[in-house]
Amino acid sequence: MDGVTVIDHPLIQHKLTIMRKKDTSTAGFRRLLREISTLLCYEVTRDLEMTHERIETPITQMDAPVLAGKKLVFVSILRAGNGLLEGMLELVPSARVAHIGLYRNHDTLEAIEYYFKAPEDITNRVVIVVDPMLATGNSSIAAIDKLKERGAQNIRFVCLLAAPEGIKAFRTAHPDVPVFTAAIDSHLNELGYIVPGLGDAGDRMYGTK
Ligand code: URA
């Protein structure tokens, strides 16, 4: 699928299977999500621009590779996005962080914004938006609309599971934003849940149901 990368590394796939099981504990689910997020972060940052810096090793001087440009921005779509954010920050501790609060109207499945806080200058930064589930696409599309309004130009989206319907809607709305996911599932059910999926990611992560 154009613009969609499925990160099918064996470690990710194995951990994802454990997360899908309905009897996996809240603690286990959270730990696995954090572990997978570091692996996803590794892939989504694979092509970051590099430059060189003159350093001194104990032996000699060298021009060594370092990340170029401004610090990354990670954007968590609340609340489930925080589960992916943690692992990403472990790998890139200097990243800036934005939070976008969106909830789904359970009748219309529309995304309603209730919170937005982002660094001022996101125009010239790589912006990585995280949300474990790309279901209808409504929340992620709304989040990226908002980030673009604030000037973001270089955006990537990372999720754990995607539904084909969500990918289609997302790529239609934002064809310039590549999607990275660990798996593409079969379809959405009538309640907007991904099938076979893993249930409600926020509830499973925080033990709220
Ligand atoms: N959000 C979830 O947490 N799970 C789904 O299956 C769909 C949206």
Side-chain angles (χ1 to χ4, degrees), residues 61-94:
Q61 294 198 333
M62 73 175 284
D63 289 320
V66 288
L67 292 171
K70 296 190 168 192
K71 302 270 186 288
L72 299 183
V73 181
F74 292 140
V75 182
S76 168
I77 301 182
L78 299 175
R79 67 183 161 151
N82 280 359
L84 281 178
L85 176 67
E86 274 185 39
M88 300 256 175
L89 283 173
E90 260 173 47
L91 225 53
V92 191
S94 61

Side-chain angles (χ1 to χ4, degrees), residues 6-17 36 39-40 42-43 46 181-183:
V6 178
I7 305 166
D8 57 358
H9 189 287
L11 286 177
I12 295 182
Q13 296 306 314
H14 182 84
K15 289 173 192 290
L16 177 56
T17 297
I36 289 186
L39 300 167
L40 295 174
Y42 183 77
E43 281 300 326
R46 182 176 280 286
T181 183

Side-chain angles (χ1 to χ4, degrees), residues 3 32 41 45 61 64 72 76 88 94 100 139 143 175 180 183 185 200:
L32 288 159
C41 184
T45 53
Q61 294 198 333
L72 299 183
S76 168
M88 300 256 175
S94 61
I100 301 186
S139 320
F180 294 79
D185 273 9
D200 185 299

Side-chain angles (χ1 to χ4, degrees), residues 58-207:
I59 311 297
T60 186
Q61 294 198 333
M62 73 175 284
D63 289 320
V66 288
L67 292 171
K70 296 190 168 192
K71 302 270 186 288
L72 299 183
V73 181
F74 292 140
V75 182
S76 168
I77 301 182
L78 299 175
R79 67 183 161 151
N82 280 359
L84 281 178
L85 176 67
E86 274 185 39
M88 300 256 175
L89 283 173
E90 260 173 47
L91 225 53
V92 191
S94 61
R96 305 303 189 235
V97 177
H99 291 92
I100 301 186
L102 295 161
Y103 68 88
R104 288 208 291 180
N105 176 318
H106 277 291
D107 297 324
T108 63
L109 302 184
E110 224 185 317
I112 318 280
E113 183 186 316
Y114 64 89
Y115 186 79
F116 182 85
K117 189 88 182 171
E120 285 296 321
D121 57 334
I122 56 174
T123 305
N124 296 313
R125 297 179 190 267
V126 173
V127 174
I128 301 177
V129 182
V130 300
D131 190 354
M133 310 300 270
L134 177 55
T136 59
N138 291 345
S139 320
S140 43
I141 291 169
I144 287 165
D145 284 342
K146 183 84 187 189
L147 291 163
K148 285 184 174 174
E149 267 172 41
R150 289 286 295 266
Q153 292 173 342
N154 187 350
I155 308 175
R156 298 154 194 216
F157 179 76
V158 180
C159 59
L160 188 59
L161 284 188
E165 297 91 327
I167 292 177
K168 189 161 173 241
F170 184 94
R171 292 286 303 161
T172 303
H174 295 295
D176 57 314
V177 179
V179 173
F180 294 79
T181 183
I184 301 174
D185 273 9
S186 165
H187 63 279
L188 289 181
N189 69 13
E190 59 295 347
L191 299 175
Y193 283 94
I194 297 178
V195 182
L198 49 71
D200 185 299
D203 282 339
R204 296 210 54 196
M205 194 184 305
Y206 296 120

